[in-house]
Amino acid sequence: MKILVPIKRVVDPYAKVKPLPDGTGIDTTGVKFDINPFDEIAVEEAVRMKERDASTEVIVVSIGSGDAEEQLRKALAIGADRAILIETSAELDSPGVAAELAALAIELQPDVILMGKQATDDDCNQAGQMLAAKLGWPQATFACKVEPCGNALHVTRETDTGDETLELPFPCLVTTDLRLNEPRYIALPGIIKARSKPLDRRPAAVNQAPRTRTTRYEAPAARPPGRKVASVDDLLVALKERGVL
Amino acid sequence: MSKLLLIAYDPADGLQGAGFAQKLGLPFDLLCLTGVAPTDVGAERALSAGLDEVPPADALASGLSGVAGGYTHLAAVSAMRSKDVLARLAGLLDAAMVTDVIAIESPSVFKRPIVAGSIIATVEVLATPVVLTVRPAAFGTPNLGGASVAESVALAGSGTAKRLSISARGGARPDLTQAKVVVSGGRPLKDAATFESVIGGLADALGGAAGATRAAVDSGIAPNELQVGQTGKIVAPELYIAAGVSGSTQHMAGIKDSKLIVAINKDPDAPIFDNADLGLVADLYDAIPEIRAKLGR
Ligand SMILES: Cc1cc2nc3c(=O)[nH]c(=O)nc-3n(C[C@H](O)[C@H](O)[C@H](O)COP(=O)(O)OP(=O)(O)OC[C@H]3O[C@@H](n4cnc5c(N)ncnc54)[C@H](O)[C@@H]3O)c2cc1C
């Protein structure tokens, strides 16, 4: 089985970020970057599938600046076999990302594409579904369990009201949710081994015109400061005053 | 001519989305996938697809692409089900897409939260059509009246994903995203039985829904569909009570639209107190039974 895992370099999801004072972007001074946590879960799942079936190949790909090499090396340290860095200075929107990944998928012919359900920076939740549509492949978003079953995957996915299990014939696309797995701690030997794994750099192939553009970044309206109440009695009085009880 | 197709899973979902449709100010049609589309929400046409069961995303998006012609805007209320299908529809239509719209600047400029709600982005749409998912709390309830032309439509879609099983757990409580009161619990709730009796018990006493943090869901204390936050449900009740919740950015991203946020936490320095309207420093295992005793419910 061949698995392609697209990953994105994002600002540390635990960092507090602010807009730049002039509203033209996000202030990333002093903020660390990491693999989008959902993508790290996708890499972990692909590597676990490889550990169960040694014939599996795991290829990770990232689109963006050369800095994304750091995140690709981390994915290689988790256990991916090789990496591709599609270098571009353009800020791609999700349709642009889907277009680049579709071209790559047509070239590499993976059986499965595993990727995060959303990136924790733009919170779009679009690229996987758009890519599956472009390729004409079946999809399962928000996966919490993935099981190979012959030439298909059985994917249990979280829904608004519970969960459901889908059977997807190969080739297919799965987007990961938080509870699919817990990514492993990366030990030193893995990091050292990752340095010598192949990483190909190439330019963007499609360079599709953007369909949306972000024109302003601003801080959300602050909530007026609240107050502490001293006891349950005071809380109930305050709730009654506000008419919510 | 610009025109919106509002896609709803059922009539209640259509009613929720109609607030946005009316504010957008374009003529619109309402398509209900299941049930009969309401004719009094201001749509020109009330279209009913009459599905018994909504198919997996590949078949549904393919069916929707067949009726999407002629619309410049296609929208649905933000939810896991709509994000699953509408982003695929956007891919099929080669469309622009804006997720989680919270404000309309013009029919081609929208605002949406990014980075777990830390930043509000203004997004300009450069292509037609545009697919939108919208947060209904930002747009209020629609004005009712008038009479749309009722029609039935057939969605002729096909796909290769096969649904093997489905489990919907919804119980007697109101839907989290529409509830007037939400009581949420976090990691200190220990186990599913404790969560159900303490958090579920207070939710029932207040006629509300129960919610949970990711930490609570991950440790099996609460089922996944109760997760509130950046990657879970977005709630907007009159009253949100968070008990044993630290107040992470990711959790707060899902509750900002609540009218009144009450935090019960035994740590006086818990970050949730920075964003709560009313804070009670207390052990939840003392405070919640006391609240219920004093309310007599
Ligand atoms: C990509 C990503 C997405 C995420 N998405 C979400 C999301 O959608 N929703 C979400 O909730 N989280 C999300 N998280 C996780 C988030 O960062 C926090 O880890 C999580 O919200 C913490 O949950 P908690 O408040 O239950 O637990 P904790 O942070 O452990 O807080 C528990 C709190 O309970 C208090 N407490 C303990 N015992 C008692 C007691 N007896 N009485 C009263 N108070 C007590 C403690 O003082 C503490 O403040 C996400 C994280 C990532 C990385």
Side-chain angles (χ1 to χ4, degrees):
Chain A
M1 197 191 328
K2 191 192 269 188
I3 309 177
L4 179 65
V5 187
I7 67 173
K8 185 177 185 186
R9 172 181 166 90
V10 298
V11 289
D12 172 7
Y14 292 103
K16 287 246 182 283
V17 298
K18 311 187 294 293
L20 289 168
D22 66 359
T24 57
I26 300 173
D27 186 352
T28 54
T29 344
V31 179
K32 281 188 307 180
F33 285 78
D34 205 344
I35 302 188
N36 172 37
F38 295 99
D39 300 344
E40 188 173 348
I41 290 170
V43 175
E44 173 69 32
E45 192 67 18
V47 170
R48 287 187 192 184
M49 286 161 84
K50 180 184 160 73
E51 285 164 351
R52 284 195 297 266
D53 168 11
S55 69
T56 299
E57 185 188 13
V58 179
I59 308 167
V60 287
V61 54
S62 191
I63 307 173
S65 77
D67 295 341
E69 174 168 353
E70 192 189 337
Q71 281 65 45
L72 287 169
R73 292 283 173 210
K74 182 169 174 184
L76 293 170
I78 295 172
D81 297 294
R82 63 189 176 99
I84 297 169
L85 175 51
I86 299 177
E87 284 188 282
T88 171
S89 56
E91 285 244 357
L92 295 185
D93 58 2
S94 306
V97 168
E100 296 300 336
L101 293 176
L104 186 70
I106 288 163
E107 177 192 323
L108 298 177
Q109 303 275 317
D111 302 295
V112 175
I113 297 178
L114 256 173
M115 59 198 280
K117 72 167 181 176
Q118 77 191 61
T120 53
D121 54 359
D122 61 33
D123 282 337
C124 275
N125 200 328
Q126 300 172 359
Q129 297 90 309
M130 287 177 176
L131 175 57
K134 292 235 162 299
L135 295 168
W137 295 4
Q139 74 186 43
T141 51
F142 319 139
C144 57
K145 190 169 169 208
V146 177
E147 269 178 312
C149 190
N151 281 327
L153 291 182
H154 286 186
V155 182
T156 303
R157 55 185 298 273
E158 297 189 356
T159 67
D160 294 296
T161 50
D163 55 56
E164 66 175 5
T165 302
L166 299 181
E167 181 177 83
L168 308 180
F170 290 162
C172 60
L173 184 143
V174 175
T175 77
T176 59
D177 216 318
L178 294 168
R179 279 166 287 278
L180 180 56
N181 61 51
E182 226 174 284
R184 70 194 64 188
Y185 171 79
I186 306 168
L188 194 60
I191 297 171
I192 292 168
K193 211 165 139 200
R195 287 192 198 133
S196 55
K197 287 186 180 175
L199 186 151
D200 302 332
R201 292 168 180 269
R202 52 164 88 183
V206 186
N207 293 301
Q208 177 178 285
R211 293 182 177 12
T212 55
R213 177 172 62 207
T214 301
T215 54
R216 204 180 146 67
Y217 299 78
E218 60 198 323
R223 207 176 178 88
R227 67 182 172 94
K228 287 207 174 110
V229 291
S231 64
V232 165
D233 289 327
D234 289 357
L235 177 63
L236 293 175
V237 169
L239 292 178
K240 282 185 184 130
E241 272 168 11
R242 308 251 188 155
V244 289
L245 278 189
Chain B
M1 244 280 282
S2 293
K3 189 165 188 182
L4 163 73
L5 178 66
L6 176 63
I7 300 164
Y9 280 76
D10 51 42
D13 193 35
L15 199 62
Q16 270 215 307
F20 165 82
Q22 293 183 359
K23 294 243 159 53
L24 185 65
L26 300 177
F28 71 99
D29 292 340
L30 167 63
L31 168 64
C32 266
L33 299 177
T34 66
V36 178
T39 54
D40 60 353
V41 300
E44 290 186 346
R45 297 191 299 159
L47 308 168
S48 303
L51 300 177
D52 294 324
E53 191 186 287
V54 175
D58 54 347
L60 181 55
S62 125
L64 289 170
S65 70
V67 299
Y71 296 101
T72 53
H73 294 64
L74 300 111
V77 168
S78 284
M80 293 171 85
R81 60 187 181 184
S82 62
K83 288 177 180 177
D84 182 37
V85 171
L86 265 72
R88 187 173 178 105
L89 176 63
L92 293 177
L93 300 176
D94 225 345
M97 182 161 185
V98 187
T99 306
D100 288 329
V101 171
I102 55 165
I104 305 164
E105 301 283 285
S106 81
S108 60
V109 181
F110 303 95
K111 290 192 179 190
R112 60 179 300 265
I114 61 172
V115 218
S118 309
I119 291 177
I120 306 298
T122 303
V123 181
E124 184 184 352
V125 176
L126 308 170
T128 310
V130 59
V131 174
L132 308 162
T133 68
V134 305
R135 298 231 181 129
F139 303 102
T141 48
N143 302 319
L144 298 183
S148 321
V149 180
E151 289 173 36
S152 45
V153 290
L155 294 182
S158 65
T160 55
K162 201 168 96 199
R163 185 176 283 136
L164 301 178
S165 65
I166 187 158
S167 90
R169 281 183 283 260
R173 291 186 189 127
D175 180 65
L176 242 185
T177 57
Q178 300 192 36
K180 296 262 178 287
V181 176
V182 174
V183 182
S184 277
R187 197 190 311 266
L189 270 303
K190 294 192 195 108
D191 53 38
T194 312
F195 178 88
E196 183 47 36
S197 74
V198 176
I199 299 298
L202 181 58
D204 290 343
L206 299 172
T213 64
R214 174 189 172 187
V217 176
D218 283 2
S219 43
I221 295 169
N224 63 268
E225 65 275 14
L226 297 196
Q227 182 176 315
V228 172
Q230 178 191 21
T231 56
K233 293 220 163 85
I234 307 297
V235 301
E238 303 289 323
L239 172 61
Y240 188 84
I241 302 180
V245 172
S246 60
S248 64
T249 313
Q250 290 87 3
H251 189 76
M252 300 315 286
I255 72 171
K256 281 189 174 139
D257 293 332
S258 307
K259 293 256 164 47
L260 188 70
I261 299 175
V262 174
I264 302 171
N265 196 305
K266 68 178 184 188
D267 173 7
D269 297 322
I272 188 137
F273 289 123
D274 299 339
N275 286 297
D277 302 295
L278 295 170
L280 177 65
V281 180
D283 190 313
L284 70 93
Y285 293 107
D286 300 329
I288 290 183
E290 190 181 339
I291 292 171
R292 290 189 59 186
K294 289 187 168 151
L295 286 174
R297 306 182 220 168

